[in-house]
């Protein structure tokens, strides 16, 4: 008779266990970087450039030094004496820590002040006199490659223009042949504007250098503590074993907290120079104007079509505006990230993609904000192109997708850009979504409403997203392969300590990681403590971003648990006085195959590991695992939105939103739903209200929360979530695929497609995001496309 534990009761796989970390968050007991207070701690503030492009003629710091309480005024020239005026980026470029020759974007770091308190430091920053010589400004790729354009990166030897790279992938000749055979060619030009992660907690650090021990301890807001330790070791030329990075609780990251920022470097250098702890906490304006942005990509696309709706080929050209420095924190060998993951859920015979990256006088960025390394742009462009192609053919947009989907029996499927998509059920998900939204009925309502002057629209977005970067053949950061790790220690009483190389910024790792251990070993999740974020204690890991936690770190946790179980089996055989081959496992317990009532629990095995182990066995019950995924994981999603557009004002309201997410096995369904709702909220915000751009002088317009609106519960529409379709990952130990970014990646196109559908009779092909009321009104009034590309007029 089986005596296996009830997995749901012990908080294992599939249990909607309440988030254990919330016990401290809702009581105000979270421990964030700004909560760190050390004896003798000083405070650092940064002076930022008011101009987007200007040569620095002089910097006079004498008035700042004269302010009581000021301990240090650091300029680029001073940092250069320590070889720290510039630092390497994760994309093998260089970035100024403090400007020396000229400033290259508004908000760039020019100098910093360390003082007894942050108010003195801020006052002293305002007392620094900088004389600038303004230079011509570039705010888009077209300006960057124009004849006579000023060279932004004239600090780089051999850099004669503003092009960072030209890159291509796919079959050009095959694509040309497909276009030659096409009955119709559909074209679309888009701009995916800059987006900002906007975490509640901005960036910050507390650097503490101990001259006596030579040890540097840095508390900081980072999603990847071990990568930061490696980068600090290289930049500051300190031994890696004498650097400890501690990432305490993080108030949201969304990719913003992966890169190395100048403020981190300045705090470390100042702590070394002053031999005292130095704290730097970024303010909201500094965060909006200078830290890692996302997107800012332009697309020119063509799709070759047969009259019956079959897609024959796709051509894509993308221009990526990287800002003043190429500082993408993305781990692939592909210059444009994973943009070529587009069309992975569609069966397309031929495709060719070209991409160009350019510098501009804007803050560096590109891949932050819930984006698996440009996958957000890929899926947005893909679904906008699919929508427009269906319109050009006069086909139903759902049937057009269904016709071109990779069929469920056709996996694994090799995409025209080379990815191997191993699983999925696109048609099953679409069917669930169409039924839930009442598709046919809504189409009838739409036509009836049109006859009364109302404009209703329905938008669909279907996509499969590559997660879990990545396998060591193709993915690395600074030469470090993209594996992840877990270390599990089962104490003699059967309680456990799990340490993981990832780092949560709100994903609920402390809850879900324990559930994986519970699933593998039968130890109740409440008996598992999870630790992350301290490089002196956690095993080396590559951090949390791009939805890689569950696909990679989650897999490492499964694997280390199985190593523990393998040793526990030997202990069980010893305790039961049978051979190991005669021992069977069920959740929480080993038993004798021929006598199921004779068994021992995992807790009894743990006790034996410390006091009754067989001869020759090493004591203890602990192990570690490093997991290198053999492939990416491929969750699939369908998002369907219905809207009504007011033709008099351009305001549009969401009537309904249906989400169908097939993310494989769900560890904690409640947390998965929270991730999807958060992503859909961000998708709605990007498509509707988040406006940040630049004028002709490079001034950042929208670097405040009056223009760059974050939706509250009041503005956010309701969501209807579906989980009926489950396709386990064929290579992940527990079949999970990840879901953290899916809704934010696939959602924006559904909202935009719905609005475009509502005004589809006007001949307008595109309105750039955000679809602000004035843009929608302009499109309706003048029946023309509306671009949101900078520069914008501010007069």
């Amino acid at each position: 008779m089986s005596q296996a534990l009830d997995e749901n009761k012990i908080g294992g796989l599939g249990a909607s266990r309440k988030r254990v970390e919330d016990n401290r968050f809702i009581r105000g007991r979270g421990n964030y970087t700004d909560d760190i207070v050390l004896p003798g701690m000083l405070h650092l503030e940064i002076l930022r450039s008011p101009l987007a492009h200007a040569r620095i003629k002089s910097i006079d710091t004498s008035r700042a030094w004269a302010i009581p309480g000021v301990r240090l005024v650091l300029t680029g020239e001073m940092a250069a004496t320590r070889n720290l005026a510039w630092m390497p980026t994760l994309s093998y470029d260089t970035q100024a820590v403090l400007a020396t020759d000229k400033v290259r974007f508004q908000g760039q770091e020019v100098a910093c002040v360390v003082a007894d308190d942050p108010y003195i430091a801020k006052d002293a920053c305002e007392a620094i006199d900088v004389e600038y010589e303004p230079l011509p400004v570039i705010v888009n790729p077209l300006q960057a490659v124009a004849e006579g354009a000023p060279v932004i990166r004239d600090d780089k030897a051999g850099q004669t223009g503003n092009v960072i790279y030209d890159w291509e992938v796919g079959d050009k000749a095959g694509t040309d042949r497909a276009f030659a055979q096409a009955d119709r060619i559909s074209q679309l030009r888009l701009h995916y504007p800059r987006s900002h992660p906007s975490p509640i907690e901005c960036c910050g650090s507390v650097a503490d250098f101990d001259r006596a021990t030579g040890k540097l301890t840095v508390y900081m807001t980072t999603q990847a503590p071990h990568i930061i330790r490696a980068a600090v070791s290289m930049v500051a030329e300190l031994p890696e074993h004498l650097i400890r990075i501690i990432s305490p609780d993080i108030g949201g990251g969304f990719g913003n907290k992966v890169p190395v920022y100048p403020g981190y470097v300045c705090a470390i250098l100042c702590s070394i120079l002053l031999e005292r702890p130095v704290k730097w906490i970024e303010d909201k304006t500094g965060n909006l104007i200078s830290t890692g942005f996302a997107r800012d990509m332009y697309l020119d696309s063509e799709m070759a079509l047969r009259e019956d709706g079959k897609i024959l080929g796709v051509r894509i050209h993308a221009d990526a505006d990287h800002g003043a420095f190429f500082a993408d924190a993305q781990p692939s060998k592909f210059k444009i990230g994973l943009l070529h993951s587009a069309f992975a859920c569609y069966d397309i015979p031929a495709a060719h993609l070209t991409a160009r990256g350019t510098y501009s006088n804007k803050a560096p960025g590109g891949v932050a904000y819930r984006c698996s390394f440009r996958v957000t742009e890929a899926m947005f462009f893909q679904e906008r192109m699919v929508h427009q192609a269906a319109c050009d053919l006069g086909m139903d947009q759902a049937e057009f997708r269904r016709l071109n989907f990779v069929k469920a029996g056709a996996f694994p499927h090799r995409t025209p850009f080379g990815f191997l998509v191993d699983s999925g059920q696109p048609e099953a998900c679409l069917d669930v979504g169409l039924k839930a939204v009442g598709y046919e009925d809504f189409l009838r309502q739409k036509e009836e409403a049109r006859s009364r002057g109302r404009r209703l629209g329905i938008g669909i977005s279907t996509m499969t997203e590559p997660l879990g970067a990545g396998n060591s053949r193709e993915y690395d950061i600074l030469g470090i392969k993209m594996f992840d790790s877990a270390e599990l220690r089962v104490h003699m009483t059967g309680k456990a300590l799990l340490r993981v190389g990832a780092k949560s910024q709100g994903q609920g790792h402390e809850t879900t990681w324990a559930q994986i251990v519970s699933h593998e070993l039968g130890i109740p999740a409440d008996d598992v403590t999870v630790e992350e974020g301290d490089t002196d204690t956690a095993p080396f890991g590559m951090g949390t971003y791009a939805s890689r936690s569950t696909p990679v770190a989650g897999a490492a946790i499964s694997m280390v648990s199985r190593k523990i179980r393998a040793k526990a089996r030997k202990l069980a055989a010893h305790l039961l006085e049978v051979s190991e081959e005669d021992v069977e496992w069920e959740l929480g317990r080993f038993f004798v195959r021929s006598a199921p009532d004779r068994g021992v629990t995992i807790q009894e095995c743990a006790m034996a590991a410390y006091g009754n182990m067989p001869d020759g066995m090493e004591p203890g019950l602990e192990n570690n695992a490093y997991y290198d995924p053999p492939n990416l994981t491929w969750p699939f999603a369908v998002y369907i939105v219905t809207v009504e557009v007011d033709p008099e004002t351009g305001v549009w309201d969401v009537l309904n939103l249906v989400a169908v997410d097939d993310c494989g096995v769900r560890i904690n369904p409640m947390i998965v739903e929270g991730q999807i709702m958060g992503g859909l909220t961000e998708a709605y915000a990007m498509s509707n209200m988040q406006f940040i751009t630049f004028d002709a002088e490079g001034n950042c317009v929208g670097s405040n929360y009056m223009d760059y609106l974050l939706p509250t519960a009041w503005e956010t529409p309701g969501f209807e979530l579906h989980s009926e379709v489950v396709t386990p990952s064929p290579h992940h130990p527990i079949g999970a695929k990840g879901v953290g970014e899916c809704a934010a990646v696939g959602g924006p196109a559904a909202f935009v497609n719905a609005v475009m559908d509502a005004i589809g009779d006007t001949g307008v092909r595109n309105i750039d995001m955000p679809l602000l009321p004035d843009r929608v009104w302009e499109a309706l009034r003048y029946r023309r496309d509306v671009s949101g590309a900078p520069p914008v007029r501010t007069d």
Side-chain angles (χ1 to χ4, degrees):
M1 177 182 294
S2 171
Q3 299 178 29
L5 299 173
D6 183 327
E7 183 161 358
N8 194 61
K9 288 184 178 177
I10 64 171
L13 210 60
S16 289
R17 182 179 181 229
K18 290 184 178 178
R19 289 164 43 103
V20 296
E21 44 272 87
D22 289 352
N23 286 332
R24 63 177 186 276
F25 293 150
I26 63 175
R27 289 173 171 81
R29 300 295 297 274
N31 183 37
Y32 300 92
T33 296
D34 201 19
D35 293 325
I36 306 298
V37 178
L38 301 178
M41 187 173 73
L42 301 171
H43 298 266
L44 182 149
E45 289 289 332
I46 293 173
L47 175 68
R48 300 183 182 279
S49 170
L51 301 177
H53 198 196
R55 199 163 302 284
I56 296 175
K57 299 183 70 174
S58 65
I59 301 178
D60 182 355
T61 61
S62 57
R63 290 198 301 133
W65 275 108
I67 296 175
V70 169
R71 303 288 180 163
L72 179 64
V73 182
L74 186 68
T75 65
E77 292 298 333
M78 295 169 63
T81 64
R82 297 290 185 124
N83 198 29
L84 284 174
W86 292 80
M87 63 180 181
T89 72
L90 298 180
S91 289
Y92 302 98
D93 194 4
T94 52
Q95 178 175 353
V97 175
L98 294 173
T100 52
D101 52 345
K102 65 179 186 180
V103 291
R104 293 173 171 84
F105 67 91
Q106 186 183 58
Q108 184 178 342
E109 298 82 358
V110 175
C112 65
V113 174
V114 179
D116 290 342
D117 70 47
Y119 304 103
I120 295 173
K122 190 171 281 293
D123 288 344
C125 280
E126 295 177 359
I128 298 173
D129 297 310
V130 184
E131 185 179 0
Y132 295 102
E133 176 188 345
L135 297 170
V137 170
I138 291 171
V139 294
N140 64 49
L142 194 62
Q143 294 175 338
V145 298
E147 186 175 353
V151 178
I152 296 171
R153 294 301 307 277
D154 49 0
D155 58 290
K156 300 180 67 171
Q159 184 78 33
T160 58
N162 295 309
V163 174
I164 304 171
Y165 58 81
D166 281 297
W167 190 79
E168 66 177 312
V169 66
D171 179 1
K172 182 178 185 306
T175 305
D176 289 345
R177 287 193 297 273
F179 274 79
Q181 298 166 2
D183 297 322
R184 183 184 291 262
I185 294 174
S186 178
Q187 298 176 316
L188 197 61
R189 172 172 291 184
L190 304 170
H191 174 225
Y192 201 137
R194 285 203 165 201
S195 300
H196 197 285
S198 302
I200 293 175
E201 179 197 31
C202 298
C203 296
S205 66
V206 180
D208 183 15
F209 179 69
D210 186 332
R211 178 69 65 187
T213 64
K215 181 124 184 175
L216 172 68
T217 302
V218 187
Y219 305 84
M220 64 192 307
T221 52
T222 175
Q223 298 172 229
H226 289 91
I227 295 299
I228 292 292
R229 184 179 66 178
V232 169
S233 177
M234 288 188 281
V235 171
E237 298 181 351
L238 294 172
E240 189 174 3
H241 69 291
L242 293 179
I243 301 171
R244 182 183 187 185
I245 305 295
I246 301 174
S247 183
D249 288 328
I250 296 180
F254 311 112
N256 189 180
K257 293 168 181 171
V258 177
V260 179
Y261 292 109
Y264 297 154
V265 179
C266 288
I268 290 171
L269 176 56
C270 291
S271 180
I272 292 172
L273 293 173
L274 295 168
E275 299 186 21
R276 291 177 63 175
V278 173
K279 175 186 281 188
W280 166 64
I281 299 296
E282 186 181 52
D283 60 26
K284 289 290 185 185
T285 299
N287 185 266
L288 278 169
I289 203 171
S290 71
T291 60
F293 293 83
R295 331 293 189 238
D296 212 347
M297 184 178 286
Y298 300 76
L299 176 86
D300 284 291
S301 64
E302 293 182 308
M303 187 177 285
L305 302 164
R306 273 195 332 229
E307 286 294 351
D308 64 359
K310 176 61 182 171
I311 302 172
L312 300 178
V314 173
R315 283 195 190 115
I316 297 173
H317 175 73
D319 283 301
D321 182 343
H322 290 276
F325 310 105
F326 184 28
D328 280 9
Q330 65 99 359
S332 77
K333 63 182 180 182
F334 317 118
K335 291 292 187 183
I336 199 68
L338 302 185
L339 184 68
H340 56 307
S341 63
F343 295 99
C345 67
Y346 295 103
D347 182 14
I348 296 178
H352 184 236
L353 183 151
T354 57
R356 170 175 289 181
T358 52
Y359 292 116
S360 69
N361 292 117
K362 300 191 292 194
V367 300
Y369 198 3
R370 276 190 133 170
C371 167
S372 300
F373 316 125
R374 300 288 191 187
V375 176
T376 303
E377 292 95 314
M379 298 309 146
F380 180 75
F381 293 160
Q382 164 194 300
E383 287 307 298
R384 289 289 295 117
M385 291 168 65
V386 167
H387 175 92
Q388 191 57 51
C391 292
D392 289 345
L393 286 169
M395 284 188 67
D396 177 86
Q397 54 179 311
E399 289 310 306
F400 180 70
R401 285 175 170 82
R402 189 190 305 280
L403 174 68
N404 289 287
F405 273 154
V406 178
K407 308 306 177 192
F411 293 101
H413 168 75
R414 183 72 68 179
T415 79
F417 293 123
F419 290 97
L420 184 66
V421 185
D422 53 28
S423 58
Q425 301 182 69
E427 289 182 274
C429 290
L430 181 61
D431 288 342
V432 171
L434 294 177
K435 180 180 179 182
V437 82
Y439 186 65
E440 296 298 332
D441 186 52
F442 184 84
L443 294 181
R444 284 191 292 273
Q445 293 178 38
K446 175 184 157 186
E447 292 308 313
E448 292 170 4
R450 183 69 55 85
S451 66
R452 298 195 299 273
R454 295 175 59 199
R455 289 187 172 276
L456 304 185
I458 185 164
I460 301 175
S461 177
T462 56
M463 61 107 199
T464 185
E465 178 191 9
L467 302 183
N471 65 74
S472 61
R473 301 183 303 277
E474 296 179 306
Y475 300 91
D476 69 77
I477 289 180
L478 301 175
I480 307 167
K481 302 300 184 183
M482 295 296 291
F483 54 81
D484 226 300
S485 58
E487 177 185 291
L488 181 59
R489 180 182 306 164
V490 181
H491 305 306
M492 65 177 68
T493 57
K495 315 299 182 186
L497 171 64
L498 175 69
R499 287 172 168 156
V500 185
K503 173 58 193 168
S504 175
Q505 316 110 50
Q507 291 89 345
H509 286 179
E510 292 172 51
T511 305
T512 52
W513 290 166
Q515 290 184 251
I516 296 175
V517 174
S518 186
H519 170 70
E520 297 288 353
L521 294 177
I523 296 174
D526 288 344
D527 290 348
V528 182
T529 297
V530 176
E531 291 184 357
E532 297 178 331
D534 186 337
T535 57
D536 267 13
T537 58
F540 192 99
M542 298 301 284
T544 299
Y545 38 86
S547 297
R548 64 185 304 276
S549 290
T550 294
V552 190
I557 295 166
S558 282
M559 301 312 291
V560 72
S561 298
R562 293 177 186 184
K563 288 183 177 180
I564 294 288
R565 196 168 71 204
K567 183 173 182 179
R569 179 185 294 276
K570 297 181 185 297
L571 288 160
H574 172 66
L575 294 174
L576 295 167
E577 298 179 334
V578 297
S579 69
E580 189 178 341
E581 290 73 23
D582 292 330
V583 172
E584 293 286 338
W585 165 257
E586 61 184 0
L587 189 63
R589 175 178 178 268
F590 293 97
F591 61 91
V592 180
R593 182 180 299 121
S594 57
D597 288 341
R598 286 190 62 211
V600 292
T601 65
I602 187 72
Q603 289 81 7
E604 290 171 315
C605 293
M607 182 63 77
Y610 294 89
N612 185 20
M613 71 290 283
D615 291 343
M617 176 180 281
E618 185 178 2
L621 193 56
E622 59 186 74
N623 217 318
N624 59 51
Y626 287 79
Y627 185 77
D628 181 6
N631 190 15
L632 301 164
T633 59
W634 297 90
F636 183 84
V638 173
Y639 305 111
I640 305 178
V641 176
T642 58
V643 301
E644 178 165 6
V645 176
D646 185 336
E648 300 299 324
T649 64
V651 171
W652 54 279
D653 294 316
V654 175
L655 305 176
N656 194 8
L657 189 154
V658 169
V660 184
D661 282 271
D662 176 6
C663 56
V665 174
R666 298 185 178 206
I667 300 168
N668 183 319
M670 181 184 69
I671 287 181
V672 170
E673 290 182 1
Q675 290 276 24
I676 295 170
M677 288 185 180
L680 290 172
T681 302
E682 290 173 335
Y684 173 65
M686 283 185 276
S687 62
N688 185 289
M689 61 183 66
Q690 291 186 337
F691 178 69
I692 192 165
T693 187
F694 296 83
D695 67 13
E697 283 73 45
N699 295 306
C700 185
V701 179
S703 57
N704 61 80
Y705 290 113
M706 294 296 286
D707 294 317
Y708 198 75
L709 297 178
L710 302 183
T712 66
W714 178 258
E715 292 88 8
T716 303
F719 308 130
E720 179 181 328
L721 309 186
H722 288 264
S723 58
E724 293 91 327
V725 183
V726 179
T727 312
S729 167
H731 62 79
H732 190 279
I734 58 174
K737 291 186 172 181
V739 71
E741 298 173 334
C742 292
V745 168
F751 290 104
V752 176
N753 285 343
V755 174
M756 299 309 299
D757 183 58
I759 66 170
D761 60 321
T762 62
V764 175
R765 299 177 72 82
N766 183 57
I767 304 171
D768 280 338
M769 292 193 296
L771 273 62
L772 301 169
D774 64 300
R775 293 184 180 182
V776 178
W777 180 87
E778 180 183 339
L780 280 166
R781 176 68 176 81
Y782 298 106
R783 294 179 177 259
R784 67 188 182 200
D785 291 6
V786 180
S787 169
V792 296
R793 291 182 59 179
T794 55
D795 56 0

